[in-house]
Amino acid sequence: MATSMSGPIMSGLEIRGPIEPGFEEILTPEAMAFLAELEGRFGPERLRLLDVRTKRQALLDRGHRPDFLPETRAIREADWTVSPLPVDLLDRRVEITGPVDRKMVINALNSGAKIFMADYEDATCPTWTNLVEGQINIRDAVRRTIAHEDPASGKKYRLNDKIAVLKIRPRGWHLHENHVLMDGEPMSGALFDFGLHVFHNAQELLARGSGPYFYLPKLESHFEARLWREVFLVAEEYLHLPHGSIKATVLIETILAAFEMDEILYELREHSAGLNCGRWDYIFSFIKKFRKDPAAVMPDRAEVTMATPFLSAYSQLAVRTCHRRGAPAIGGMAAFIPVKGDPEANEVAFSRVRADKEREASNGHDGTWVAHPGLVPVAREVFDAYMPTPNQIARKRSDVTVTAADLLAVPAGPKTEAGLRNNVAVGIGYIEAWLRGQGCVPLFNLMEDAATAEISRTQLWQWVHTATALDDGRVVTLDLVDRVIAEELAAWKSRVGAAAYAKGRYADAAALFRDLVASEDFTDFLTLPAYERVVAEGA
């Protein structure tokens, strides 16, 4: 039986979420004391850096454009490398990502991928239950005791003898954990996710020949990487971990971080496991940062592929930067998923994934991401053919030169009602699932998570607020968006059936989506107001 919402106060932290059976094994007094140490030391700096983000955005709104930093030129020009990689991070040719629910954790670890990134961020709706049960699931996976029986089918899930290496993606610096308060204020979601995992599992992982490995999302500067480094150093000292045993791959998924790749690697050089091209958040970030500039309007979401020049430049710059520093550069997510019952559509999806991975491997990436176990063999086949060695770090790509103008080049392409309509349909479909506690969902043969849904939402905001014209001459107005929202709500009812529609959150999702698009003040992340709603509903 759970405790009340006003849970125990431990080590200066007040737990506001219910303590369900088993939660007390994660939320121990010792673990909470560690979280209090992290939040007390680093919470104020996190908030200061978020304020810096706001000030940088104000400059961008006034027309300023980013460039490589003159004050860190010496770091970019100097010869240095990151610390050597652990043995189990040398070969990362295929990585799979997904949420932290129990069946997904087992399937991903068994998928044949080299790495599984268990995601507390874009693929997980951060309800209290999802987060703490996720910690339980990961704890059990680390100790290889995890098991699951599907209540509907009776199918039993167990770990294979050979499983993927585990990496954890905590939430970004911008997200709070409203169920744990310090001095009456929500603590950092990132520190909550990181702290509980490293506290409970770091020593066990090291004893098993691996280590506490992380992905760090949505960094916007090397100062934000420096904060993570300081967190790692304190965690290693507090928990008596070997210096440098915590390793982290930084997702370059903001346009501002793309100008500071060297500096980010330098800040984390003792803890670095390279960089990853988080393409979907990167596209979202590009639109968001230049949202008020009519000259920075992108075409339909489907037209913005890795073949576009600004994304190709970003990919190749990441490879060149990482390899010069002895670090791996991991490619981005293939959002396509297998299409059941339609062999022709399935082959189209697989061929697109294959072409995407061939591009990455040719550029020199040392591995790639997929979102579905069915795509692991496709990606692995490509990287086995292009990369017979564990990685391509020896391939320095000194032939690559990328300028600020290359990174900031806005792609050309059509802007159509079909693109607008797809943005609305995806936005409603994803937010509807999120409000029900689901952080990633297959929609229209793609795996949508917060990053992909953000592109749809942000693009519509920009089209409306810059009075963008579609190719047929119509200006995208809020009236047009309202009409399409009404039509797409009806389409969702037809797709899922009246009963499922009535049980779902489609009208709520459409209202939130509409509010986000209509608001004069752009909301930095759709998950912020969505999180407030699920917390208010007791989730």
Side-chain angles (χ1 to χ4, degrees), residues 201-274:
N201 301 313
Q203 293 285 8
E204 183 72 22
L205 285 162
L206 290 165
R208 291 173 176 270
S210 189
Y213 304 148
F214 294 89
Y215 261 105
L216 305 180
K218 295 181 175 58
L219 269 62
E220 295 195 5
S221 73
H222 67 284
F223 296 109
E224 296 181 13
R226 180 179 298 171
L227 179 57
W228 270 118
R229 175 180 181 270
E230 292 170 354
V231 171
F232 294 164
L233 291 173
V234 166
E236 287 172 345
E237 180 180 7
Y238 189 105
L239 299 172
H240 307 293
L241 306 175
H243 177 68
S245 57
I246 297 175
K247 297 294 183 184
T249 305
V250 172
L251 288 138
I252 302 298
E253 53 186 359
T254 67
I255 182 63
L256 298 180
F259 289 91
E260 301 184 34
M261 293 186 196
D262 269 307
E263 294 86 339
I264 288 169
L265 287 173
Y266 184 80
E267 292 291 344
L268 289 165
R269 59 196 181 279
E270 297 164 308
H271 298 96
S272 180

Side-chain angles (χ1 to χ4, degrees), residues 116-192:
F116 166 46
M117 187 199 77
D119 188 11
Y120 288 98
E121 208 223 13
D122 279 352
T124 293
C125 176
T127 67
W128 180 244
T129 299
N130 283 349
L131 293 171
V132 184
E133 287 186 351
Q135 293 284 347
I136 293 171
N137 297 338
I138 295 300
R139 176 202 63 188
D140 293 349
V142 168
R143 290 157 181 80
R144 300 184 69 97
T145 61
I146 190 171
H148 176 70
E149 182 172 342
D150 190 310
S153 67
K155 184 177 179 180
K156 296 179 180 180
Y157 297 81
R158 299 286 190 278
L159 290 180
N160 298 335
D161 291 338
K162 185 176 181 180
I163 60 174
V165 175
L166 178 68
K167 292 175 75 79
I168 301 294
R169 177 160 70 169
R171 282 169 285 178
W173 285 133
H174 62 289
L175 292 169
H176 311 294
E177 179 44 64
N178 285 17
H179 298 94
V180 181
L181 307 183
M182 186 163 186
D183 299 327
E185 296 295 328
M187 76 169 293
S188 161
L191 295 178
F192 179 87

Side-chain angles (χ1 to χ4, degrees), residues 10 43 102 152 162 190 253 280 289 310 328 374 402 440 457 472 530:
M10 294 188 286
R102 204 162 182 86
K162 185 176 181 180
E253 53 186 359
W280 304 112
K289 291 302 179 185
F310 86 111
V402 174
C440 61
R457 185 268 302 199
D472 61 14

Side-chain angles (χ1 to χ4, degrees), residues 75-88:
I75 291 174
R76 293 195 300 277
E77 294 180 349
D79 290 325
W80 50 269
T81 59
V82 303
S83 295
L85 294 167
V87 172
D88 57 349

